[in-house]
Amino acid sequence: MESAQSQQAAPGAVMAFARFVLCGGGVGLASSFAVAAAAAWMPWVLANAVITAVSTVLATELHARFTFGAGGHATWRQHAQSAGSAAAAYAVTCVAMFALQLLVAAPGAVLAQVVYLSASALAGVARFAVLRVVVFARSRTQVTAPAASPAPVPATADGRTVPVAHAAAPARPATLCAAA
């Protein structure tokens, strides 16, 4: 049984992207500082993995509640699918940071943050598409109007039925807008 909260309308693409940037970008920005802090006392790859896991759970919950209009908590399936897209984002940030280390012998903290945040933004745009189209996509079941009782069939005096042409009934506005 769905609650009224989980039946809210999904936001349009622009509004969903704005919410995604606000929620996911906020978590991502905080994560970048957390990775930098954690990397001071553990290997960067491990720090990135831990922070990515924690931030993915947090961001998935925020996206389920606010970004994509799902209302309520994210399901285990949504967490698993989101984790898959986060693993791809993790790989992108690792490759970007590895490339930075190859190209610059001793990159400063500002350059490292710029590279990390740029890679995260690129991966974030791809994640938005995956989350919107796959993870938090709503099933688009069409609402059908209840079947009307059949009209009485006219008959002749000897009991034979007379074929009658019926015009199609106009669709209800709710039926027309169900897939919108």
Side-chain angles (χ1 to χ4, degrees):
M1 177 200 280
E2 290 184 338
S3 67
Q5 188 180 35
S6 66
Q7 294 177 359
Q8 64 187 346
V14 173
M15 180 58 76
F17 187 73
R19 291 177 182 179
F20 177 82
V21 169
L22 183 65
C23 294
V27 170
L29 187 59
S31 296
S32 72
F33 291 106
V35 167
W41 52 275
M42 70 174 68
W44 185 89
V45 172
L46 179 60
N48 191 22
V50 169
I51 299 302
T52 297
V54 171
S55 66
T56 298
V57 170
L58 175 60
T60 301
E61 283 297 323
L62 289 172
H63 293 321
R65 293 176 188 216
F66 306 114
T67 303
F68 298 108
H73 295 286
T75 64
W76 285 107
R77 179 192 61 81
Q78 290 168 330
H79 275 291
Q81 289 175 328
S82 182
S85 70
Y90 171 76
V92 168
T93 57
C94 285
V95 168
M97 294 305 287
F98 181 70
L100 176 64
Q101 294 295 322
L102 288 176
L103 297 172
V104 180
V110 173
L111 178 59
Q113 282 291 81
V114 167
V115 169
Y116 180 81
L117 290 174
S118 297
S120 292
L122 178 64
V125 170
R127 280 196 78 213
F128 171 76
V130 169
L131 293 176
R132 181 168 169 83
V133 173
V134 178
V135 178
F136 294 105
R138 293 179 174 224
S139 61
R140 302 258 189 235
T141 57
Q142 289 196 352
V143 177
T144 56
S149 60
V153 178
T156 61
D158 62 358
R160 292 181 301 147
T161 59
V162 178
V164 177
H166 292 280
R172 292 180 173 177
T175 304
L176 293 175
C177 296

